[in-house]
Amino acid sequence: MLIFGFHIKTSSHLHHCHSSTMVRIPEVKLSSGGKPMPRIGVGTAVFPFASSEAMRATILRSIELGYRHFDTAAIYQSEEPLGAAIADALRAGAIRSRDELFITSKLWCSDAHPHLVLPALQKTLRNLQLEYLDLYLVHWPVSTRPGKYELPPAKEDLLPIDMSAVWRAMEECHALGLTRSIGVSNFSSKKLETLLSIAKIPPAVNQVEVNPLWQQQKLREFCVAKGIQVCAYSPLGAKGTHWGQNWVMDCGVLEDIAAAKGKTLAQVRTVR
């Protein structure tokens, strides 16, 4: 399983690492046959969602330290700082080419309409200053009224999603070479089953919340059986967000394990 920490750390938290001690992050092949995905990635969402120079600097520092997988989304307002940090890294020689990175972004609910999928991806690529994504995800199995970027969306803006037509538009984005792989986020087993019944290109990834206290065993088993890679967000419980809780970071069992192993709680929280 892949893991994302969806709270971006300040650069001061990264200074204990040094490029001379970097180890290569393991990768996993995706069903779409695109570039292998690093198993550990850097999530670029801060809450409340906002863009900042601190974010740009932190992402650049992460690249310098050896991170190669970065996750963003239209709703996060982090696409532009990520794109700027990638340009900085190229100029500074921290990476030789954009192809060394694995970049994921997501289609927001207000763009989850067949005629808006391609324009939304094109806007994302402009924000990132990139020619293609490595992975593009349908952020939620929901559509909302076009033009609004809100989380949570207002009840009156919720609309039924035409998943078949939206997925055809995602497949067209793949065919155009604008994204190397396509997938989904926050999909249940039932919704995945429906999607698999109509997809010409199966989703390569399902990104969902997974942590030691919310292990999603049934969903993970389903995805393994269907060849869908599970990617875990909020592995520390997303403390401080409206969707998160403190159970992971305040878990006495995990604290005892960390103390016994001489590690931080974050280092021992990986779900197997």
Side-chain angles (χ1 to χ4, degrees):
M1 178 166 35
L2 288 83
I3 295 176
F4 280 112
F6 266 38
H7 286 295
I8 195 160
K9 299 181 174 110
T10 61
S11 56
S12 61
H13 288 132
L14 299 170
H15 286 165
H16 70 282
C17 299
H18 191 275
S19 59
S20 63
T21 61
M22 283 193 308
V23 295
R24 182 174 178 82
I25 295 172
E27 298 175 330
V28 61
K29 291 183 179 180
L30 300 180
S31 61
S32 57
K35 185 190 306 177
M37 175 189 279
R39 287 186 175 272
I40 298 177
V42 176
T44 63
V46 297
F47 194 78
F49 298 135
S51 174
S52 70
E53 281 300 310
M55 180 182 291
R56 173 178 177 170
T58 299
I59 295 169
L60 175 58
R61 181 62 175 147
S62 299
I63 295 172
E64 292 170 345
L65 291 172
Y67 290 95
R68 293 295 179 261
H69 186 177
F70 293 86
D71 180 278
T72 183
I75 190 73
Y76 299 162
Q77 300 181 39
S78 61
E79 290 177 337
E80 290 187 1
L82 174 55
I86 293 170
D88 291 341
L90 287 166
R91 281 192 293 269
I95 52 174
R96 291 185 297 274
S97 75
R98 174 265 181 268
D99 291 342
E100 293 182 28
L101 302 177
F102 191 104
I103 306 298
T104 298
S105 194
K106 308 181 193 75
L107 176 78
W108 185 240
C109 305
S110 57
D111 291 320
H113 302 274
H115 67 292
L116 295 179
V117 174
L118 178 57
L121 176 52
Q122 291 170 328
K123 181 178 179 181
T124 281
L125 291 172
R126 289 194 298 272
N127 288 341
L128 288 164
Q129 305 176 51
L130 298 179
E131 295 182 355
Y132 72 92
L133 292 179
D134 295 287
L135 178 63
Y136 196 44
L137 306 177
V138 178
H139 207 150
W140 287 89
V142 173
S143 289
T144 59
R145 200 174 307 280
K148 290 190 175 182
Y149 288 77
E150 299 176 348
L151 182 66
K155 185 176 180 180
E156 61 269 20
D157 290 333
L158 293 174
L159 300 169
I161 186 170
D162 184 348
M163 196 62 238
S164 179
V166 167
W167 192 252
R168 283 199 301 272
M170 293 286 287
E171 291 174 331
E172 178 63 18
C173 291
H174 180 272
L176 291 170
L178 299 178
T179 181
R180 301 292 169 84
S181 297
I182 52 177
V184 296
S185 181
N186 301 300
F187 272 53
S188 65
S189 299
K190 184 176 180 179
K191 292 189 182 300
L192 284 171
E193 192 78 74
T194 300
L195 176 56
L196 288 168
S197 71
I198 54 110
K200 293 181 179 177
I201 302 174
V205 168
N206 185 23
Q207 188 181 114
V208 294
E209 182 175 5
V210 182
N211 61 59
L213 302 180
W214 179 238
Q215 297 189 17
Q216 302 257 44
Q217 188 70 28
K218 180 181 176 181
L219 176 60
R220 289 165 55 208
E221 290 174 355
F222 177 89
C223 289
V224 169
K226 300 298 183 179
I228 300 170
Q229 178 66 53
V230 173
C231 181
Y233 71 75
S234 297
L236 300 181
K239 182 177 181 178
T241 68
H242 73 80
W243 68 86
Q245 30 68 19
N246 302 341
W247 299 342
V248 176
M249 297 306 291
D250 294 342
C251 178
V253 173
L254 290 176
E255 289 175 351
D256 291 344
I257 293 172
K261 298 292 185 180
K263 303 291 184 180
T264 67
L265 188 148
Q267 289 172 321
V268 301
R269 88 315 191 204
T270 304
V271 180
R272 295 293 182 183

